[in-house]
Amino acid sequence: MSKIYVLLAQGFETVEALSQVDVCRRCKQDVTTVSIDNNYSVTSSHGVEVYANQLIKDTDFSDADVIVLPGGFPGYMNLAESKEVGQVITAHYQSGKILAAICGAPYALAVNGIGKDRRITYHHSIKDKMTGYAYTGEKATIDGNLITGRGAGCSFEFGIAIMSQLVDADTIEHLNTGLEL
């Protein structure tokens, strides 16, 4: 079983975050939501309040196989502007473990100099902020230990891309059947 952390910033995109929790649990993976500030209560960009499992200041990410960054506005900006998030994702990425970001969240990669020259996808709204990357426009892109997703409508494809790196083909087929994809 793999350990996945989903980082929640105030203003996260509801679907992008919670669909990852759902997909991970359907694949029987250990997933934990982590608030990036000192409040367990995190409100999405659409006003959905979620109670995170942990706070970033109290979380040891050394057991993480995957760290997921959901987008949403202003969530992705809050991720990108957090020094603590920057330290966590830089160390995780440099260790060779999977770092996954969807929609606007790849901007946090750019701010922290992560994955330059890699193939990635992201929401069109951050195009001007993403110099130095090879944009694919795909729903989900895997390039080594970096997985990116284009936006909320691609959330399940993004989750499946993450799971494809962690579980066997039968589990992915069962997931696809359950989701009717």
Side-chain angles (χ1 to χ4, degrees):
M1 181 180 333
S2 298
K3 180 66 180 174
I4 298 104
Y5 290 97
V6 178
L7 302 188
L8 299 178
Q10 298 296 337
F12 69 91
E13 168 54 52
T14 314
V15 172
E16 294 167 4
L18 297 182
S19 63
Q20 302 323 303
V21 173
D22 179 85
V23 166
C24 291
R25 292 199 175 145
R26 286 175 188 259
C27 291
K28 307 213 181 320
Q29 301 304 297
D30 183 4
V31 61
T32 300
T33 56
V34 179
S35 171
I36 70 159
D37 58 29
N38 288 319
N39 193 345
Y40 283 98
S41 176
V42 187
T43 303
S44 79
S45 59
H46 296 100
V48 177
E49 186 177 10
V50 173
Y51 193 77
N53 302 116
Q54 295 175 197
L55 301 176
I56 195 168
K57 69 178 183 136
D58 300 327
T59 304
D60 176 3
F61 292 94
S62 63
D63 65 343
D65 295 298
V66 180
I67 294 177
V68 178
L69 306 174
F73 185 81
Y76 83 85
M77 292 298 291
N78 292 331
L79 289 170
E81 292 170 359
S82 167
K83 289 183 185 208
E84 212 166 5
V85 168
Q87 292 168 348
V88 167
I89 65 174
T90 299
H92 184 78
Y93 178 76
Q94 289 175 347
S95 74
K97 295 179 181 179
I98 297 170
L99 182 58
I102 185 169
C103 193
Y107 179 56
L109 308 177
V111 167
N112 290 285
I114 296 171
K116 291 291 186 177
D117 299 322
R118 301 292 287 276
R119 295 176 60 253
I120 68 170
T121 193
Y122 46 78
H123 193 270
H124 65 85
S125 64
I126 64 167
K127 180 181 180 183
D128 295 340
K129 300 175 182 181
M130 300 303 297
T131 57
Y133 295 91
Y135 177 72
T136 68
E138 299 168 336
K139 290 182 177 185
T141 299
I142 301 171
D143 188 345
N145 64 325
L146 190 59
I147 302 174
T148 51
R150 195 172 67 213
C154 308
S155 293
F156 281 113
E157 289 87 346
F158 175 66
I160 291 165
I162 296 167
M163 288 300 106
S164 76
Q165 304 303 294
L166 303 173
V167 301
D168 61 42
D170 288 341
T171 302
I172 295 295
E173 181 60 33
H174 182 73
L175 175 65
N176 285 334
T177 299
L179 295 173
E180 293 196 359
L181 294 177

